[in-house]
Amino acid sequence: MGEKDDYYKHVAFNHDSTRFVCACNDGVEVYDCDPLKLAFGRNPKLAKGLAIAEMEDNLRLFLLGGGKFPLDDNKRVVIWDEVQGRISSKSYNCASQVLAIKVSGDAVAIVMQNKVELHVYVKANETSRIYSSVTTCNLRGVCALSPGYVLAIPGLSEGEVRIHAAHRHPFSINAHANTLSCLALSQNGRFLATASVKGTVVKIYSISTGWGEKLQELRRGKDKAEIWSMAFSPDNHWLALTSDKCTIHVFKFQLKTKSHAVVTFSSKEPYTILVACRNSTFYKLKFDPAFGGTMKQEKYCIFPEV
């Protein structure tokens, strides 16, 4: 972990993996993935510390203040509109500290220690809270949100996942014996990946049935690991994950850094993985679906320098 990890507090891909956003000590940066270049950021109006930055589309950002000189307090989520070049009059004022924000289409999930709220845009700058759900203690801000308002969050007991979906009754899955560390939903909201703080096994569930059928268990390794990020491929045939073991698992690949990393699949090229790290490094990797083996590194760079 280096000094860049202290500068970049949070990194997240957008919904279609064409861009990623970085929450910084003195503002926000948004990068195009292919080719890698700075799209916008470092705006003087946003030149204050951020803890979280998430992207609804390519031009609207959900921001949470943080650091020594925060943009705002840690209970208020503000919206930056790049088209208007200003912070929107709409914001989300929460009862306790916000630990994570997840955005998909016109839905926004706001995660607190013991509660998750889901808000949906009804028209410009107006939202409606469609529900809130109490969770077990969730200091990691574990949550996943997919189009169609499918939401996966911790339940009321350790290792339990609660699924909320439009036009269906909520249901729970007893996924792990230990505390959840990471959740991921497929883009069509039909599949769920779960990992616990033990980090040795990832479980895949079908959730379109309304009760959560376990489809597969994927063994990451024998040693305990912190799973940082998981992502399904667009065709749902692959799952990629990053962990504190400096590896990406679709097939094993050794990163050059131990910095916190987030992973997604390229929207332009099949069998291609994109990884953005908090120490400002970016990787583009290709894997062989037929023969496996070590992934080929197609790109490695430091993104503030592109």
Side-chain angles (χ1 to χ4, degrees):
M1 307 286 275
E3 63 180 33
K4 286 293 185 180
D5 293 83
D6 296 327
Y7 180 72
Y8 292 103
K9 299 299 185 182
H10 183 258
V11 180
F13 287 98
N14 67 350
H15 68 287
D16 61 4
S17 304
T18 57
R19 283 182 168 178
F20 64 92
V21 57
C22 306
C24 312
N25 272 338
D26 57 1
V28 64
E29 297 172 1
V30 176
Y31 290 86
D32 289 332
C33 291
D34 194 9
L36 185 66
K37 64 179 181 180
L38 182 69
F40 65 89
R42 302 171 185 164
N43 191 303
K45 297 179 182 178
L46 287 173
K48 291 186 177 180
L50 294 172
I52 299 173
E54 291 279 349
M55 194 180 313
E56 176 199 13
D57 49 32
N58 287 333
L59 296 170
R60 190 181 310 196
L61 307 176
F62 291 77
L63 308 173
L64 182 76
K68 190 174 181 179
F69 301 104
L71 177 70
D72 215 310
D73 66 42
N74 59 22
K75 298 180 182 179
R76 181 170 179 255
V77 178
V78 300
I79 303 169
W80 172 261
D81 190 322
E82 180 65 12
V83 174
Q84 300 292 329
R86 61 179 177 85
I87 292 176
S88 169
S89 58
K90 173 63 184 176
S91 63
Y92 300 92
N93 297 298
C94 303
S96 59
Q97 179 182 355
V98 175
L99 299 175
I101 306 164
K102 299 295 180 182
V103 183
S104 182
D106 59 357
V108 183
I110 298 177
V111 186
M112 292 158 274
Q113 180 173 327
N114 294 102
K115 184 171 70 170
V116 177
E117 295 181 352
L118 185 66
H119 300 257
V120 174
Y121 275 87
V122 290
K123 57 183 179 179
N125 293 324
E126 290 188 23
T127 61
S128 173
R129 190 179 76 180
I130 59 176
Y131 51 71
S132 65
S133 183
V134 177
T135 70
T136 187
C137 183
N138 184 19
L139 293 175
R140 288 176 172 80
V142 174
C143 176
L145 178 64
S146 77
Y149 313 146
V150 181
L151 178 70
I153 58 177
L156 293 175
S157 60
E158 192 173 50
E160 180 186 60
V161 184
R162 186 76 168 162
I163 304 296
H164 294 265
H167 312 301
R168 290 212 312 258
H169 290 294
F171 64 94
S172 297
I173 300 170
N174 293 316
H176 297 272
N178 301 294
T179 302
L180 298 171
S181 67
C182 192
L183 298 173
L185 286 164
S186 61
Q187 292 181 18
N188 62 8
R190 296 180 59 190
F191 301 102
L192 168 73
T194 71
S196 77
V197 292
K198 192 174 181 181
T200 55
V201 173
V202 173
K203 299 182 181 181
I204 309 295
Y205 293 88
S206 170
I207 57 173
S208 59
T209 57
W211 57 275
E213 175 189 5
K214 186 169 73 173
L215 301 177
Q216 193 173 2
E217 289 192 8
L218 307 173
R219 181 160 289 278
R220 184 213 55 82
K222 295 181 179 180
D223 298 331
K224 183 177 179 181
E226 181 77 14
I227 305 299
W228 286 333
S229 169
M230 299 190 292
F232 284 92
S233 63
D235 63 5
N236 299 327
H237 289 166
W238 306 92
L239 181 79
L241 66 87
T242 58
S243 75
D244 65 355
K245 294 296 184 182
C246 309
T247 55
I248 302 166
H249 283 259
V250 170
F251 297 97
K252 195 172 184 180
F253 178 86
Q254 191 73 26
L255 291 176
K256 297 178 180 178
T257 173
K258 292 186 177 181
S259 177
H260 192 287
V262 293
V263 64
T264 191
F265 284 82
S266 171
S267 62
K268 294 184 177 181
E269 299 179 40
Y271 315 126
T272 302
I273 305 294
L274 306 176
V275 182
C277 307
R278 286 189 195 170
N279 69 350
S280 76
T281 55
F282 178 86
Y283 297 82
K284 180 180 179 182
L285 313 164
K286 189 173 286 289
F287 66 92
D288 189 320
F291 298 102
T294 301
M295 286 189 281
K296 178 184 177 183
Q297 180 175 297
E298 296 202 332
K299 190 178 189 68
Y300 167 77
C301 60
I302 298 174
F303 49 75
E305 298 177 359
V306 297

